[in-house]
Amino acid sequence: MSSDNWKMGYDAYEREINLNLFHAALALAAKTSTNEDAMSIYYETGRRIIWFKGNFDEESYLAPYGLRYLGEVLERYQECFGTELRNTRALALAIGYAAPYLTEDMFIGKQKTDFLRRLDREEGWDVYLFGARYLCAENPQDRKELLREMMESNTRTTEEATFILSLFEDKNKGYEAMRAQLSRTWGEKRTISLLPNVGILEWMTAQYKDIIKGCRKKESTVLRALMKLPYMFVKDDSPAYLTLSKVGYSKLEITYANSQAIWQGTVRDRLDYNGIPAEKIAAEFGTTLINSTEPFDEEQFSYLKWLLVKYSSFSVKYQGYEGIWEAIKDSLRPTQPRTLIWMIENIDKEFSVSFDVFDPKWDILAQRLGTEKYYKLFSEQLTKNEVKDTEEAREWIDRYRELTGIDYCTGFEHRSYWNHECFAILVKYGVIDLWSFFRKYVSHSKEENENANALDYIKSYVRQIQTREAFDFYQALLEDYDYTELNDIFGCWYKFHDGLVKELSSGSCYSRDVKLDFQRDFLNLEEQRQVFEWIDESVFRTEPDKYLNFVRAALRDQCVREIYETEELCCILKEMITASAIPIYEETELKKALFTPEDFAADQAKKEEQKRENKLRAEKEDWESKKKKLLETYDGTFYSLRQYEKKFWSSEDKQKAMSLVYDQLADSVIRVDKPASPKEMGDFLKLCGAIVKRKALPWEKLYPLIEMMTREGTKC
């Protein structure tokens, strides 16, 4: 990618030479020459021409003037392009560089001769005309003398010294001859800025890099630093940067040239534009250009716009940056109005900006940007500047009207990024009276209201009652409107208590998650009680299914306990307990908090007594149940008693159950025929084993029964 895609980069020469005319004449000569090597020579010579642009469309350039061949151009150029010396220089140099392939058929009569004689009549020293004579001269001695005169002219400008250097066919001799002048004119005596002349540096880098880098003379220090631009990220603490800045190169010049150098197609082995150094260079240039105090330059910003697209996504994401915008956005501090306008119009990103709206320098923003964009920008400044009092707030609003002719507060009829913060500032300092503002924009229903946005800003501001103004607004609002009507005004999802009661509508099944947040330092106890009563009615009217959760949260809340008498809260708690509306896991905690120590102790004692009674009752019922099962299961056999034991699962239940079977076991021992069958004896012994294992009956009671069963043995 060449810098020619954004600008020629040869401004210093464009001022002295009509470069378009030069290129048209040079291309015309090459394309109309009968010399079969003309085009090869054309491109070969082009490497020596600092501002060379191949494939120039000379036909489109010359056709409007009816110019068809080179001789006609020489004859009529002043008529067509003007008598300025820069036009003469352009054609003189074109004839000089095209000399190797000029042919007689390009001219009619004395067209060429007359033009060259005109050059001789030009008065005074002119390096470009001297250069043209040098190029046109056929005698080697004449060429040598002309070149010597130019070398000894002690040129004063950077562009002239570089031009003379370009005339040397032997580069080593040329640099040695011009080194002192080049070191001076590219150093402390520099006469051009790199910003519009980066193409000149590109040419010198491509043609003389190796020679300059190989010269270790101290006077070449600046030139060696310039040659490093295509090969490294020149950070502001690097030796190359310090060398250049010391002789007057600005940071913008260095970063711009450093960035442009990466795209110089004629420079070999330059940095890979997809590597980290190139990405850092692009980011550094972007930050430097936007923050620069130098006059706005359209071409430089066009180049930056191209970089923003090219590096929208880094190939190697250094420091985690996705692309160039992420790398530079936090460092941008534009100081020029036109820069800011360019950013707003060309960068489709959100970015923060600070400027003084009272400084006339920035008034152009109101004139150039549309109402919506300037309103947003002005609002951002309002939020960033700490407004101290009502007078200052009104000055801001007056300033906006002065710049735009529009009332700032009408901006709240629309959506805008900073509106919520600006609305709060203007309410705080009395520029906006909430109730009056509300009355101006309210209608019966939000769906019918063309100014619903304005009501949204009120709704957002008064939510959670964070200011005295919000409290005063609700006092007025709730005198005129019912809670259910507020949905028609502020939208179907609006609830007064949103934000004042947290997690009420979260769907949680635990009432402990519900929290109240209505205590405000600017409200006295009576006013806090008023807010709570508003919350209470709002929940009851709009979310009745959540009301009990809300009451439990209120009983837990410390602020509620401060604004209501404990006795009153105790009565509510007792009613809730009676209605079984308090979970067991909360009941004790609430009683401990609200009851007196004596009442709490008595309540706990009563609960313990109740627990004991309940336990005894449960145990009695358990014994009766086991006895009933025993009677239902026992059929006079040992087997039925074993089945009875299997009806219970826990060891404790089995132990209790087996402690009841003595009478049935003894009855079975008496009933069974002696000697007992193997099955009956087996069931008996297993049953005895289970009783012994669980210690359900004392051995003294069990032993006689075992002796009775085993005395006669078993049947064979």
Side-chain angles (χ1 to χ4, degrees), residues 61-92:
Y61 182 75
L62 297 173
Y65 306 101
L67 301 174
R68 292 164 297 176
Y69 64 95
L70 187 59
E72 188 177 20
V73 175
L74 298 181
E75 185 176 34
R76 297 180 51 211
Y77 80 94
Q78 289 186 328
E79 168 194 336
C80 298
F81 302 103
T83 59
E84 293 87 351
L85 183 57
R86 62 193 296 269
N87 294 324
T88 303
R89 289 169 176 159
L91 292 178

Side-chain angles (χ1 to χ4, degrees), residues 202-379:
E202 176 186 354
W203 175 86
M204 191 162 69
T205 304
Q207 299 298 319
Y208 283 89
K209 165 183 58 85
D210 294 334
I211 296 172
I212 292 173
K213 289 174 69 175
C215 178
R216 308 315 299 171
K217 299 285 186 180
K218 185 178 180 180
E219 63 182 356
S220 295
T221 302
V222 172
L223 293 173
R224 287 197 299 272
L226 289 169
M227 295 302 104
K228 293 180 180 179
L229 293 176
Y231 305 102
M232 63 179 290
F233 171 28
V234 183
K235 297 186 290 186
D236 55 12
D237 59 351
S238 66
Y241 183 94
L242 296 174
T243 296
L244 295 174
S245 62
K246 185 177 180 181
V247 295
Y249 286 87
S250 69
K251 183 173 184 178
L252 181 57
E253 284 184 283
I254 297 171
T255 56
Y256 179 64
N258 196 192
S259 179
Q260 283 273 12
I262 296 170
W263 309 101
Q264 294 171 0
T266 57
V267 178
R268 301 186 310 275
D269 303 326
R270 62 194 185 280
L271 285 175
D272 177 6
Y273 56 78
N274 285 324
I276 288 179
E279 293 171 349
K280 289 183 175 181
I281 291 170
E284 185 71 11
F285 167 67
T287 302
T288 303
L289 179 62
I290 289 176
N291 294 348
S292 173
T293 59
E294 295 191 23
F296 182 87
D297 184 287
E298 190 67 46
E299 296 298 336
Q300 292 167 32
F301 278 91
S302 295
Y303 174 53
L304 175 58
K305 186 175 182 179
W306 183 85
L307 288 177
L308 290 171
V309 174
K310 172 64 182 176
Y311 288 115
S312 59
S313 179
F314 283 151
S315 297
V316 185
K317 294 170 174 50
Y318 78 91
Q319 297 180 15
Y321 295 129
E322 180 65 28
I324 185 173
W325 176 252
E326 289 73 22
I328 71 175
K329 63 179 182 179
D330 293 334
S331 301
L332 301 182
R333 305 289 186 273
T335 60
Q336 299 295 323
R338 287 199 62 193
T339 298
L340 185 52
I341 291 171
W342 182 89
M343 292 174 67
I344 293 171
E345 292 178 345
N346 291 276
I347 300 178
D348 187 21
K349 304 282 187 181
E350 290 292 335
F351 53 87
S352 180
V353 179
S354 293
F355 65 92
D356 182 3
V357 300
F358 294 95
D359 183 349
K361 161 185 170 181
W362 297 94
D363 291 358
I364 189 176
L365 299 179
Q367 301 160 15
R368 289 282 299 274
L369 301 176
T371 300
E372 182 180 346
K373 289 181 178 179
Y374 185 69
Y375 176 85
K376 180 181 177 182
L377 199 60
F378 186 92
S379 298

